[in-house]
Amino acid sequence: MSWTLSQSFLSNSSPVIKTIEMHTGGEPLRVIISGYPKIHGDTILQKRRYAKNNLDHLRKMLMFEPRGHNDMYGAALVDTDLPEADIAVLFMHNGGYSTMCGHAIIALGRLVVDKKYVTATEPETEVNIQCPCGLVKTLVEYKDGKSGYVRFHSVPAFLFASNVEIKVKGYGMMTVDISYGGAFYAFISADVLGLDVRESSTSDLKRAATAVSDAVKKQVKILHPEDDDLSFLYGTILTDGQDNWSADPTANVCVFADAQVDRSPTGSGVTARIALQHSKGFIQIGQKRIFESGVTKSLFSGTAIKQVKCGDFDAVVVEVSGQGHYTGEASFILEEGDIVGEGFLPN
């Protein structure tokens, strides 16, 4: 016996929202393909505000249980306002809408090529993706009709503040660096908090990183030089402290949004960490580093490829590479009267 969801079968239901399910390094990505209402706005940041103010019930329905979970991640394709962009995207998660997401860019690069939104060329196909933080050039490996690894070039990334002293509840005075890679992150070595990013439990890492994020949000004013919509701390990245260049992988764990734990090494986080390492003289232009997720042991690479400016900040463009994978397709509905089905997260 087989059947598919349809409006005739579900006569009193909401429209069917169809998605393609992917992951990059273990971090999920739910890509909305059809059934979503039009997201209005002349610019992508206006679209982001529109989604937040008018469509947040759908974010909760798709990201939260029973269809998702606390660590689900999503992407909605929207109309681009940049002539050079092939697609534009809004990112969503348990706390709202982010400005950049590298793991999503890596997965979307494959999807755009495989769905023939652009004409594929060998050995790489260029896909320009407009994100809320700006245009991201993406290069998708393509051979014998198959897509593979993806690398992207970041928006200008920079060290915002170095050796910032904060008082962290439960831990005392700490020193963090704050760096931007399409989103702002606080960076601190896990051993300062009595933890190990490769060995400590995810719950302990999440608790400590959340405490650091809470402290930074209360005690540090973050400003992006070009747009106030980008001026907020997205999360904290706990590292193994190995910032000097090495051929060996360096591990980190990113806790972002509402205490959401990234399973991947974090694409925008790798971007921000490369910017930090370059600014402090730990790595040079062209030196590739390998970054390991402390959760899944998956790997991204990151390389500062050129120096630029972002406002008054010395910045770099960072190339990040990794591979996304497909996990399935889904059709989601909300039946009339299903209050629980509107989305919930357990305490």
Side-chain angles (χ1 to χ4, degrees), residues 291-325:
F291 295 85
E292 175 186 326
S293 163
V295 179
T296 62
K297 315 308 178 191
S298 58
L299 302 175
F300 287 172
S301 69
T303 311
I305 59 174
K306 67 177 178 179
Q307 294 177 276
V308 293
K309 297 287 285 189
C310 187
D312 292 331
F313 289 97
D314 292 325
V316 288
V317 172
V318 179
E319 181 176 283
V320 178
S321 66
Q323 185 168 19
H325 294 274

Coordinates of all heavy atoms in Angstrom, one line a residue, residues 291-325:
F291 N 39.8 21.9 10.5 CA 39.1 22.1 11.7 C 38.2 20.9 11.9 O 37.5 20.5 10.9 CB 38.2 23.4 11.6 CG 39.0 24.7 11.5 CD1 39.5 25.1 10.3 CD2 39.3 25.4 12.7 CE1 40.3 26.2 10.2 CE2 40.1 26.5 12.6 CZ 40.6 27.0 11.4
E292 N 38.2 20.4 13.1 CA 37.4 19.2 13.5 C 36.3 19.5 14.4 O 36.4 20.3 15.3 CB 38.4 18.2 14.1 CG 37.7 17.0 14.6 CD 38.7 16.1 15.4 OE1 39.9 16.1 15.1 OE2 38.3 15.5 16.4
S293 N 35.1 18.9 14.1 CA 34.0 19.1 15.1 C 34.3 18.2 16.3 O 34.6 17.0 16.2 CB 32.7 18.6 14.4 OG 31.7 18.4 15.4
G294 N 34.2 18.8 17.5 CA 34.3 18.0 18.7 C 33.2 17.1 18.9 O 33.2 16.2 19.8
V295 N 32.1 17.3 18.2 CA 30.9 16.4 18.3 C 30.9 15.2 17.4 O 30.7 14.1 17.9 CB 29.6 17.3 18.1 CG1 28.3 16.4 18.2 CG2 29.5 18.5 19.0
T296 N 31.1 15.4 16.1 CA 31.0 14.3 15.2 C 32.4 13.9 14.6 O 32.5 13.0 13.8 CB 30.1 14.7 14.0 OG1 30.7 15.8 13.3 CG2 28.7 15.1 14.5
K297 N 33.4 14.7 14.9 CA 34.8 14.5 14.3 C 34.8 14.8 12.8 O 35.8 14.5 12.1 CB 35.3 13.1 14.6 CG 35.1 12.6 16.0 CD 35.6 13.6 17.0 CE 35.4 13.0 18.4 NZ 35.6 14.1 19.5
S298 N 33.8 15.4 12.2 CA 33.8 15.8 10.8 C 34.8 16.9 10.6 O 35.1 17.7 11.6 CB 32.4 16.1 10.3 OG 31.9 17.2 11.1
L299 N 35.2 17.1 9.4 CA 36.3 18.1 9.1 C 35.8 19.1 8.0 O 35.1 18.8 7.1 CB 37.5 17.4 8.6 CG 38.1 16.3 9.5 CD1 39.3 15.6 8.7 CD2 38.6 16.9 10.8
F300 N 36.2 20.4 8.3 CA 36.2 21.5 7.3 C 37.7 21.9 7.1 O 38.5 21.8 8.1 CB 35.4 22.6 7.7 CG 33.9 22.4 7.7 CD1 33.0 23.4 8.2 CD2 33.3 21.3 7.1 CE1 31.7 23.2 8.2 CE2 31.9 21.1 7.1 CZ 31.1 22.1 7.6
S301 N 38.0 22.5 6.0 CA 39.2 23.3 5.9 C 39.0 24.7 5.8 O 37.9 25.2 5.3 CB 40.0 22.8 4.7 OG 39.4 23.2 3.5
G302 N 39.9 25.6 6.2 CA 39.8 27.0 6.1 C 41.1 27.6 5.8 O 42.2 27.2 6.3
T303 N 41.1 28.6 4.9 CA 42.3 29.3 4.4 C 42.0 30.8 4.2 O 41.0 31.1 3.5 CB 42.8 28.8 3.1 OG1 42.8 27.3 3.1 CG2 44.1 29.3 2.7
A304 N 42.8 31.7 4.8 CA 42.7 33.1 4.5 C 43.3 33.3 3.1 O 44.5 33.0 2.9 CB 43.4 33.9 5.5
I305 N 42.5 33.8 2.1 CA 43.0 33.9 0.8 C 43.4 35.3 0.3 O 44.2 35.4 -0.6 CB 42.0 33.3 -0.2 CG1 40.7 34.0 -0.2 CG2 41.9 31.8 0.0 CD1 39.7 33.5 -1.3
K306 N 42.8 36.3 1.0 CA 43.3 37.7 0.7 C 42.9 38.6 1.8 O 41.9 38.4 2.5 CB 42.7 38.1 -0.7 CG 41.3 38.3 -0.8 CD 40.9 38.9 -2.1 CE 39.4 39.1 -2.3 NZ 39.0 39.6 -3.6
Q307 N 43.6 39.7 1.9 CA 43.3 40.8 2.9 C 42.4 41.8 2.2 O 42.6 42.2 1.1 CB 44.6 41.4 3.3 CG 45.5 40.4 4.1 CD 46.8 41.1 4.5 OE1 47.8 41.1 3.8 NE2 46.9 41.6 5.8
V308 N 41.5 42.3 3.0 CA 40.5 43.3 2.6 C 40.2 44.2 3.8 O 40.8 44.1 4.9 CB 39.2 42.7 2.0 CG1 39.5 41.9 0.8 CG2 38.6 41.8 3.1
K309 N 39.3 45.1 3.6 CA 38.9 46.0 4.7 C 37.4 45.8 4.9 O 36.6 45.5 3.9 CB 39.1 47.5 4.4 CG 40.6 47.8 4.3 CD 41.3 47.8 5.6 CE 41.0 49.0 6.5 NZ 41.9 49.1 7.7
C310 N 36.9 45.9 6.1 CA 35.5 46.0 6.4 C 35.3 47.2 7.3 O 35.6 47.1 8.5 CB 35.0 44.7 7.1 SG 33.2 44.6 7.3
G311 N 34.8 48.3 6.8 CA 34.8 49.5 7.5 C 36.3 49.9 7.9 O 37.2 49.9 7.0
D312 N 36.6 50.1 9.2 CA 37.9 50.4 9.6 C 38.7 49.2 10.0 O 39.9 49.2 10.4 CB 37.9 51.4 10.8 CG 37.4 52.8 10.4 OD1 37.6 53.2 9.2 OD2 36.8 53.5 11.2
F313 N 38.0 48.0 9.9 CA 38.7 46.8 10.4 C 39.5 46.2 9.3 O 39.1 46.1 8.1 CB 37.6 45.7 10.8 CG 36.9 46.0 12.1 CD1 35.7 46.7 12.1 CD2 37.5 45.7 13.3 CE1 35.1 47.0 13.3 CE2 36.9 46.0 14.5 CZ 35.6 46.6 14.5
D314 N 40.7 45.7 9.6 CA 41.5 44.9 8.7 C 40.8 43.5 8.7 O 40.6 42.9 9.7 CB 43.0 44.7 9.2 CG 43.7 46.0 9.1 OD1 43.5 46.8 8.2 OD2 44.6 46.3 10.0
A315 N 40.5 43.0 7.5 CA 39.7 41.8 7.4 C 40.4 40.9 6.3 O 41.4 41.3 5.6 CB 38.3 42.2 6.9
V316 N 39.9 39.7 6.3 CA 40.3 38.7 5.3 C 39.1 38.0 4.6 O 38.0 38.0 5.2 CB 41.2 37.6 5.9 CG1 42.6 38.2 6.3 CG2 40.5 37.0 7.1
V317 N 39.3 37.6 3.4 CA 38.3 36.7 2.8 C 38.8 35.3 3.0 O 40.0 35.0 2.8 CB 38.2 36.9 1.3 CG1 37.3 35.9 0.6 CG2 37.6 38.3 1.0
V318 N 37.9 34.4 3.5 CA 38.3 33.1 3.9 C 37.6 32.1 3.0 O 36.4 32.2 2.7 CB 37.9 32.8 5.4 CG1 38.3 31.4 5.8 CG2 38.6 33.8 6.3
E319 N 38.4 31.1 2.6 CA 37.8 30.0 1.8 C 37.6 28.8 2.8 O 38.5 28.4 3.5 CB 38.7 29.5 0.7 CG 38.2 28.4 -0.1 CD 39.1 28.0 -1.3 OE1 39.0 28.8 -2.3 OE2 39.8 27.0 -1.2
V320 N 36.4 28.3 2.8 CA 36.0 27.1 3.7 C 35.5 26.0 2.7 O 34.8 26.3 1.8 CB 34.9 27.5 4.7 CG1 34.5 26.3 5.5 CG2 35.4 28.6 5.6
S321 N 35.9 24.8 3.0 CA 35.5 23.7 2.2 C 35.0 22.5 3.0 O 35.4 22.3 4.2 CB 36.6 23.2 1.2 OG 37.6 22.7 2.0
G322 N 34.0 21.8 2.5 CA 33.5 20.6 3.1 C 32.5 19.9 2.2 O 32.4 20.3 1.0
Q323 N 31.7 19.0 2.6 CA 30.8 18.2 1.8 C 29.5 18.0 2.5 O 29.4 17.6 3.6 CB 31.4 16.9 1.3 CG 30.5 16.2 0.3 CD 31.1 15.0 -0.3 OE1 32.1 14.5 0.2 NE2 30.6 14.6 -1.5
G324 N 28.4 18.3 1.7 CA 27.1 18.1 2.2 C 26.5 16.8 1.6 O 27.0 16.3 0.6
H325 N 25.6 16.2 2.3 CA 25.0 14.9 1.9 C 23.4 15.0 2.0 O 22.9 15.7 2.9 CB 25.5 13.8 2.7 CG 26.9 13.5 2.6 ND1 27.5 12.7 1.6 CD2 28.0 14.0 3.3 CE1 28.8 12.6 1.7 NE2 29.1 13.4 2.7

